[in-house]
Amino acid sequence: MTGLKVGLPLDESVRKTLRAGDAVLLSGVIYTARDAAHKRMAEALEKGVELPFDINGQTIYYMGPAPARPGAVIGSCGPTTSGRMDAYTPQLLEAGLAAMIGKGERSAGVREAIRKAGAVYFVTYGGVGALLSKAVRKAEVVAYPELGAEAIMRLEVDDFPVIVANDMHGGDLFSEQISKYRRG
């Protein structure tokens, strides 16, 4: 995939330029978190407890990796369904989260929270986790190791392929594609 090369963390000036449908290659640090980790982070925020990493300006990838084979940085690392994190997303966006990566549509409430926070939601390719793992240069567990595959990991990625699904301007790739299909 060719696309706009973007460094992480995503600053606001870059987020302003991104539009739904843009192909992007991300390089830098992303964090992984799924349902159980999101629940813990939301509970921490509710209690006023510091999160296990500085979320401000960061990107969270909704992914739980497969075990790495000997000599590999990470195992297969495809996206999980983003809607499962919708209950927690507005709270994390308010805390400073800048971007998310996953698969599938987001709820109307999350789309509005993305717009309000000036954030972006990327989708990546389901079913090709082994291929996506080739973009990961380093992986380490940074929080909640007892959650196993759902622990929070810090990944260093190089040219990780994503597509902007929801931008800070209210653009929505899913509704735009449905409209194109209906116009036929």
Side-chain angles (χ1 to χ4, degrees):
M1 173 179 138
T2 59
L4 175 67
K5 291 183 178 263
V6 172
L8 298 170
L10 279 176
D11 64 34
E12 185 178 5
S13 65
V14 172
R15 293 192 310 267
K16 285 181 180 179
T17 68
L18 298 174
R19 297 289 190 271
D22 287 350
V24 179
L25 296 169
L26 299 174
S27 294
V29 172
I30 60 178
Y31 291 87
T32 68
R34 286 186 9 199
D35 313 50
H38 272 75
K39 182 178 181 191
R40 287 199 185 174
M41 288 189 292
E43 290 169 349
L45 288 170
E46 288 169 9
K47 294 175 183 174
V49 175
E50 191 173 307
L51 294 178
F53 66 96
D54 182 5
I55 199 168
N56 195 41
Q58 296 301 331
T59 299
I60 291 180
Y61 180 26
Y62 305 141
M63 182 275 297
R69 289 190 288 189
V73 173
I74 196 168
S76 180
C77 60
T80 195
T81 303
S82 301
R84 294 186 354 225
M85 273 51 76
D86 280 3
Y88 311 110
T89 300
Q91 188 177 12
L92 293 175
L93 289 167
E94 287 175 16
L97 181 64
M100 300 137 297
I101 306 168
K103 69 178 180 183
E105 294 181 73
R106 304 310 296 268
S107 68
V110 168
R111 291 192 308 269
E112 177 58 23
I114 289 168
R115 190 197 60 72
K116 184 178 174 185
V120 64
Y121 167 56
F122 298 106
V123 290
T124 195
Y125 307 93
V128 294
L131 181 63
L132 291 171
S133 72
K134 294 182 184 311
V136 179
R137 302 292 172 247
K138 185 176 180 184
E140 63 180 323
V141 173
V142 295
Y144 315 136
E146 67 279 6
L147 295 178
E150 290 205 38
I152 295 177
M153 297 181 73
R154 180 184 183 277
L155 305 182
E156 292 179 19
V157 299
D158 188 31
D159 289 346
F160 190 88
V162 296
I163 298 170
V164 177
N166 298 110
D167 62 43
M168 69 185 302
H169 310 286
D172 180 7
L173 177 66
F174 294 101
S175 66
E176 291 168 16
Q177 290 303 311
I178 290 169
S179 294
K180 281 183 185 178
Y181 176 76
R182 288 184 178 150
R183 286 193 308 258

